[in-house]
Amino acid sequence: ADILIRMDNVEKYYGSFHALKNVNLTVQRGEKIVLCGPSGSGKSTLIRCINHLEPIKSGRIVVDGTELSDGQKSIDIVRREVGMVFQQFNLFPHMTVLENCMLAPMRVRGVKREEAEATARRFLERVRIGNQADKYPAQLSGGQQQRVAIARALCMEPIAMLFDEPTSALDPEMVKEVLDTMVGLARDGMTMICVTHEMGFARQVADRVIFMADGEIIEENTPEAFFQAP
Ligand code: ADP
Ligand code: ADP
């Protein structure tokens, strides 16, 4: 089997607080996982550990054959390969949409300006926001900004995408446009782990729904089984 992301016996603490308890997870290439569970159960922590935004205490995380260690080299490799989208869009306010999308490919991957611009324009088109390329983030709606954040991550040509409650900060009327973009990505075969409370999205795209509570994975199932009334 082609396993892209694997977590073995991962333990995570914040000080003395035990945030992840013996987490084991394998994600196949092309698989879509929805992570759900109550607030504070460790969902965000779990995905943040995958690209080492949070260090772990023990256990093992392997992304496409690279084992994460505290050394900068493996962290750089994994961050280049795994794109992340946050609840807050985290766009640079002083840069245009286009510049936001060109920055990391040029800085981190050494892509030439012309190629970075062509790639950025292509992905901005793909999230249907190509006509906003020269605007600044504050000139866009929340839903548009989140689609820019998705395009920006895609410009690094990641092998997998992590979404941390990408629609939670949006006004209700903008949730659908962002979910539609994510559904499109899923249909194109992207490997995805999504922390979301959008259960309609989970039913529509998830291969597996994972339920967490108190830092532990307590259920893993297909959406059909997961949402079946008991
Ligand atoms: P979820 O995404 O399921 O809401 P989180 O992963 O954000 O949960 O948080 C899990 C637990 O870890 C919560 O109790 C939270 O308060 C705690 N926590 C998260 N980040 C930190 C931090 N930087 N320092 C201390 N505790 C934290
Ligand atoms: P679309 O339907 O193409 O996603 P919208 O109808 O959301 O676009 O927005 C139309 C125009 O209004 C956009 O060019 C955008 O820049 C601007 N706009 C939308 N919402 C806001 C907002 N909250 N603040 C500032 N400008 C906005």
Side-chain angles (χ1 to χ4, degrees), residues 6-227:
R6 117 172 257 141
M7 302 175 83
D8 295 331
N9 309 113
V10 168
E11 305 281 348
K12 163 73 186 170
Y13 286 81
Y14 293 109
S16 62
F17 179 75
H18 200 173
L20 292 182
K21 301 170 183 165
N22 192 32
V23 166
N24 290 280
L25 174 67
T26 56
V27 184
Q28 312 281 335
R29 190 180 298 274
E31 200 174 14
K32 291 95 180 99
I33 291 180
V34 165
L35 206 51
C36 59
S39 174
S41 58
K43 308 180 296 293
S44 173
T45 300
L46 187 157
I47 60 169
R48 291 169 66 86
C49 287
I50 293 172
N51 60 2
H52 206 275
L53 290 174
E54 294 292 347
I56 61 176
K57 175 150 193 298
S58 61
R60 209 162 77 104
I61 299 177
V62 183
V63 177
D64 198 24
T66 300
E67 177 165 357
L68 262 181
S69 65
D70 289 329
Q72 195 58 41
K73 194 168 168 218
S74 70
I75 297 173
D76 287 346
I77 292 171
V78 166
R79 288 202 186 148
R80 221 173 293 166
E81 295 204 329
V82 178
M84 185 145 177
V85 174
F86 302 89
Q87 185 173 338
Q88 302 300 335
F89 328 119
N90 293 352
L91 299 171
F92 292 111
H94 60 291
M95 299 173 83
T96 65
V97 162
L98 185 66
E99 289 165 348
N100 264 283
C101 292
M102 291 169 60
L103 184 69
M106 288 172 62
R107 285 261 182 89
V108 180
R109 294 183 59 219
V111 173
K112 294 220 169 61
R113 171 168 289 276
E114 273 177 20
E115 188 191 335
E117 178 170 341
T119 302
R121 290 195 186 278
R122 180 158 55 89
F123 282 114
L124 287 167
E125 287 297 333
R126 180 153 156 207
V127 302
R128 300 196 294 117
I129 211 159
N131 57 344
Q132 311 287 336
D134 297 320
K135 289 199 177 163
Y136 288 89
Q139 295 175 289
L140 304 185
S141 69
Q144 290 176 320
Q145 289 187 59
Q146 192 60 297
R147 284 185 283 151
V148 172
I150 293 171
R152 177 179 60 175
L154 293 174
C155 285
M156 288 290 281
E157 321 240 13
I159 58 168
M161 290 278 288
L162 309 176
F163 291 87
D164 193 355
E165 300 204 25
T167 60
S168 297
L170 298 176
D171 292 335
E173 69 271 21
M174 293 169 191
V175 169
K176 186 174 182 298
E177 67 187 54
V178 171
L179 292 178
D180 286 348
T181 300
M182 293 168 65
V183 170
L185 261 184
R187 297 239 162 93
D188 289 346
M190 179 62 78
T191 306
M192 297 163 63
I193 304 180
C194 310
V195 175
T196 180
H197 300 291
E198 297 290 340
M199 291 303 121
F201 172 81
R203 280 173 202 268
Q204 199 178 349
V205 312
D207 297 306
R208 258 191 300 159
V209 178
I210 293 180
F211 188 84
M212 293 186 72
D214 289 330
E216 283 183 278
I217 291 177
I218 61 169
E219 188 183 346
E220 261 189 80
N221 231 323
T222 62
E224 295 75 25
F226 189 85
F227 293 111

